[in-house]
Amino acid sequence: MKKINEIFYSLQGEGHHTGFPSVFIRFSGCNLSCPFCDTSHQSGIFMTDDEIIRAVNLYKAGWIVITGGEPCMHIDDDFIRMLKRTTGKKIAVETNGTMPIPAGIDWITVSPKCGIPGIEPLPIVADRADEIKIVDAGQDLEPYFSLPCRKPQTLMYLQPCFVNDPGQCRANRLRTVRRVLADPRWTLSVQMHRFLGIP
């Protein structure tokens, strides 16, 4: 049994696959406590693997996005193999990189929270990433270029930190735009789903 916060169908709103129709499996539970997290870890229901598969197969999307919370607390090689075999979909994972990543995943997004004020740092153990997506909280960005999961082909995305205060949210967006313009190694990622008003 796995504690699932929600399974839903929407467009990927962040990073390299922005705009791709995707089925999201959001797990409850994380090994970090980020003040800007958009997951209610107290919410959710326990589901069997068969129930998860049936829910995912309700949708035609070619991608499954496994997220959380920290999904790598809940998934393993067997789960990924079973999910691919029974759905025929590609699998992406969004992880903070502090836990081993199962084999067989088609796209790995590592979003480390090290260096962000107020978050207790944990070592990054992920050894590979297709993209590194950083929430910009004003932290030093240079250490992210030496993460062990960064390879020459790894894409680097910088994303404004969303907060509920509209004025602060706008200031955060402008700061991130300025930082990307100042360092073209970064690509801007915005949470497109927030602008569209979709999940």
Side-chain angles (χ1 to χ4, degrees):
M1 300 288 281
K2 295 176 173 64
K3 188 175 182 183
I4 303 297
N5 181 272
E6 58 181 338
I7 296 176
F8 63 98
Y9 181 45
S10 189
L11 301 177
Q12 172 60 276
E14 306 174 1
H16 183 68
H17 289 119
T18 294
F20 280 44
S22 304
V23 184
F24 292 80
I25 304 174
R26 184 186 299 277
F27 285 89
S28 290
C30 190
N31 56 350
L32 298 177
S33 297
C34 302
F36 47 78
C37 183
D38 55 5
T39 299
S40 173
H41 297 293
Q42 293 73 38
S43 302
I45 60 171
F46 285 94
M47 298 177 69
T48 65
D49 290 350
D50 286 343
E51 288 171 331
I52 293 170
I53 291 164
R54 284 197 294 273
V56 168
N57 277 332
L58 292 174
Y59 307 105
K60 294 180 179 180
W63 281 91
I64 298 168
V65 179
I66 302 175
T67 185
E70 176 43 56
C72 291
M73 293 172 59
H74 310 282
I75 62 176
D76 56 20
D77 294 358
D78 290 340
F79 179 75
I80 296 300
R81 279 195 298 269
M82 178 269 305
L83 202 57
K84 294 189 85 165
R85 185 182 69 251
T86 56
T87 68
K89 302 179 190 300
K90 292 183 178 180
I91 298 177
V93 68
E94 299 185 352
T95 173
N96 61 33
T98 62
M99 304 194 72
I101 299 171
I105 293 173
D106 298 289
W107 189 266
I108 298 170
T109 300
V110 175
S111 184
K113 305 306 186 292
C114 45
I116 298 179
I119 300 176
E120 187 69 29
L122 291 174
I124 302 299
V125 302
D127 61 358
R128 64 197 193 280
D130 295 294
E131 66 180 350
I132 293 173
K133 186 177 63 184
I134 302 302
V135 176
D136 178 13
Q139 72 272 38
D140 180 10
L141 299 177
E142 197 60 35
Y144 297 119
F145 289 94
S146 58
L147 290 172
C149 57
R150 182 175 181 259
K151 311 300 180 189
Q153 69 275 18
T154 301
L155 304 173
M156 302 294 288
Y157 285 91
L158 192 62
Q159 183 168 291
C161 183
F162 177 82
V163 293
N164 288 320
D165 178 78
Q168 185 61 53
C169 205
R170 174 175 166 75
N172 288 353
R173 289 197 304 267
L174 292 175
R175 177 186 63 207
T176 303
V177 168
R178 286 194 298 268
R179 298 185 89 176
V180 171
L181 290 172
D183 186 350
R185 293 177 297 174
W186 293 103
T187 297
L188 180 68
S189 171
V190 296
Q191 293 181 302
M192 183 186 72
H193 51 286
R194 295 191 185 277
F195 291 94
L196 296 177
I198 59 176

